Each structure stands twice: as C-alpha cells, then as structure tokens.
Amino acid sequence: MGTKTDQGIMKRQEIYIFIVDYIKQHCYPPTFREIADGVNLKSTSTVQMHIDKMIASGMLESDDLYGLSRAIRVPGYKFVKE
C-alpha cells in the first residue's frame, strides 16, 4: 500500500474524475456531500480539504474565495449542454 501522500493524490484524482463526470451529466458541479458520497468519503470537511489542495495546485478553479462546490470549474473543459 502506498504512502499517505500517494493515497491523497489518488483520492484527488478520483474526486477530479467524479466532478468531470458529474458536470457532463448535470451541467453544473456537485455539492461537497455529493462528492463525498461519490468517492466514498464520510466527511465533507475532507472533501473541502482535497478541493482546496486541488485549487491550489491548479487542478480545479473556483469563482469563490473559499472554493464553494457549486463555483468549481475544471480548467481545460468547456461543458456544453446538447
């Protein structure tokens, strides 16, 4: 089993994929609770911590100072409803 850092990186990749797939399906970002449920995390605080790290690294963007879930954007993606 990998280190705690490796596990965090893998969880953030899982969160990223969940967010992209969710936006493709719904045309808006998921809530922290929806993310937690989708990637098997119990705490929305843990989701917030991962989202903060993802925003800091440029993996995600946000229109909000605190990275609120509905303000999340995925750089490089343009989601268009068909």
Side-chain angles (χ1 to χ4, degrees), residues 8-48:
I9 291 168
M10 289 174 32
K11 184 56 75 174
R12 285 189 283 285
Q13 185 64 33
E14 186 179 356
I15 290 169
Y16 180 86
I17 291 167
F18 178 82
I19 290 170
V20 169
D21 289 345
Y22 188 97
I23 295 173
K24 284 180 181 178
Q25 182 178 0
H26 299 281
C27 298
Y28 55 86
T31 65
F32 290 152
R33 172 52 48 209
E34 290 165 334
I35 295 169
D37 292 345
V39 299
N40 299 314
L41 289 172
K42 293 180 182 177
S43 169
T44 56
S45 295
T46 303
V47 172
Q48 177 72 58

Side-chain angles (χ1 to χ4, degrees), residues 50-78:
H50 283 296
I51 295 293
D52 289 346
K53 287 183 178 186
M54 293 167 78
I55 290 171
S57 73
M59 197 173 193
L60 295 176
E61 297 174 344
S62 179
D63 293 328
D64 185 76
L65 179 63
Y66 302 105
L68 294 176
S69 61
R70 295 288 191 200
I72 292 172
R73 288 189 321 274
V74 181
Y77 276 86
K78 182 176 181 181

